[in-house]
Amino acid sequence: MTLAVAELYVFILAGFVGYQVITRVPPLLHTPLMSATNMISAISLVGSIVVAGSDRGTLSTVLGTVAVTCATINFVGGYIITDRMLKMFAGGKKS
Amino acid sequence: MSPEALDGRTAFISIAYLGASIAFILGLRGLTRPETARGGMQLAALGMIGAIAGTLVNHDIVSYGWIFVGLALGTLLGWPLGMRVAMTQMPQRIAISHLFGALAATLVGIAEYTHHVWGGHELGRFTALALGFEVLFGALTVSGSFMAFGKLHEILPGRGITFRGQNAVNLTIFVSAIGLLGYVVFAPTTSWAFFAMAGLAFLAGFMMVLPIGGADMPVVVSLLNSYAGLAAAATGFALGNAVLIICGALDGASGLLLSVLMSKAMNRSFSNVLFGAFGSAKPALAAGAKGEMKEVTLEDAALALRYAKNVVVVPGYGLAVAQAQKIVGELAALLEGHGNEVRYAIHPVAGRMPGHMNVLLAEANIGYEKMIEMEDINDRFADVDVAIVIGANDVVNPAAQRDPSSPIYGMPVLKVELARRIIVLKRGKGTGFAGIENDLFTEERTSLLFGDAKATLQRLLTELKTL
């Protein structure tokens, strides 16, 4: 099995898992779901950190640093705002 | 990764990435119940921190200065975007974070491409395809999200902008970008084609959202979520990184599912939202409005609510615009103090994004167990003593079920007209967002209170306290 095929397997299986999990998320939590996936999308840091730090020339360093900044904004801001929302729901039975 | 390369560091990185992938999936699973959701997100955040730590020990990194500048700057800017944004601004907040996510993916894609092509490294066709997809979806999402943000934040006109031959123009731009992508795969080192493709994709994002009106934004925002995910997955293919592929797939699946749900709730197909330009359509002058709208006095409305055993509040976007959620919560608490049951009927597109109305009500300290989804409450409206409709119009329009000539015919709506008594809070005598007449307002059992929702609710609350 070539690497590309293995990657395709991972992609399709992860998509399948995602579909199965996300169909079970109630509409009540669809906004937090969206901000949560936004937070998770900050995983692009694993790519941008390497680009910013591997000294491949000025252009790469600049692009990498901006990318690290953008992804970190999504991680920090996304986590805080998702938690703010979920805190409101966590209370549950209150009038 | 070959086995002989598996030294300590590499093993640590692999374990960190695997751990992150598991944490993200479990984190999303936590979101299936409100009680487990917070814990799930904490786990996901830990997974992310682990993945960042793993990446920092990567062999290729030679200097850390700029990495920490980026991490610090991102934290500094992300903090207020998390703490200060109001819940009513969630849709534009989400749109702007799609922009950041897609921008990060696009820039990494461009950096990787130039590193290969200008740095004299070999660039295989598969990697070229992955990088091409990454930049194509990334650039499209950056400009599309910017437009969505601008429209939702009202710095751009909210109405859709259309012109003759728009779909043909958009299609040409999009097909040209795809064609250039094909050329890049055929000849990976032709950098002009790569950058032209990126430019066209960027243009396509603007053009795609240009004709779409405010009411259709829930679908667009969800779809952009999906595109941002696909861009991230493509990054994973290009870098041979499984955790990126997994996250991209999760993101893509989530966005796609939400856009399908939103389209269904509006009774529209994807292509209709993207190419139909509904928001700018001329209001259909339906023959509707057969009867007169009957106004009710505050005193009568207060009496009806006070002596209703069960009350259903039907919130629409007008409620959020008037910032009246807190007063609704107070009103409900007062009625519940008298032993009346109060519940909330939530239409999927009551807000400006999926689940938006639930968040707005939760912010007003309303327990989530009282928020009932449309399918669950529709069978029970006949047992409802008083349904109070606040700032909602199209989502409660019975014509969607009765009148095949109505522009919204077939759209799932809340069957408020079945309730024993209906009180509608309405700003004025005009029609709703889609400009469609609503027979509910002239129904025999319906009475109306005109005026700003917040002010009317405040007066209603004062009146109720005297009873």
Side-chain angles (χ1 to χ4, degrees), chain B residues 171-203:
Chain B
L171 202 67
T172 311
I173 296 172
F174 194 70
V175 168
S176 311
I178 297 280
L180 285 166
L181 174 65
Y183 191 72
V184 170
V185 175
F186 174 72
T189 51
T190 11
S191 46
W192 68 264
F194 186 83
F195 287 109
M197 179 204 72
L200 281 180
F202 193 67
L203 184 64

Side-chain angles (χ1 to χ4, degrees), chain A residues 30 33-34 37-38, chain B residues 91 94-95 97-99 102 136-146 148 152 174 204-205 207-212 216-232 248-264 266 268-276 352-354:
Chain A
H30 276 170
L33 169 68
M34 231 182 209
T37 53
N38 258 316
Chain B
I94 296 289
S97 63
H98 289 153
L99 189 156
L136 182 79
F137 275 114
L140 183 83
T141 309
V142 168
S143 52
S145 299
F146 176 76
L152 287 163
F174 194 70
M207 299 300 286
M208 187 183 89
V209 184
L210 195 66
I212 300 173
D216 286 341
M217 278 303 156
V219 182
V220 175
V221 173
S222 311
L223 202 62
L224 290 169
N225 190 3
S226 183
Y227 288 170
L230 291 177
L250 292 175
D251 236 13
S254 170
L256 199 64
L257 259 164
L258 290 176
S259 4
V260 170
L261 281 177
M262 289 299 103
S263 299
K264 271 192 191 150
M266 299 196 298
R268 316 260 310 278
S269 70
F270 253 9
S271 55
N272 186 268
V273 173
L274 293 178
F275 306 114
R352 274 289 180 269
M353 68 177 287

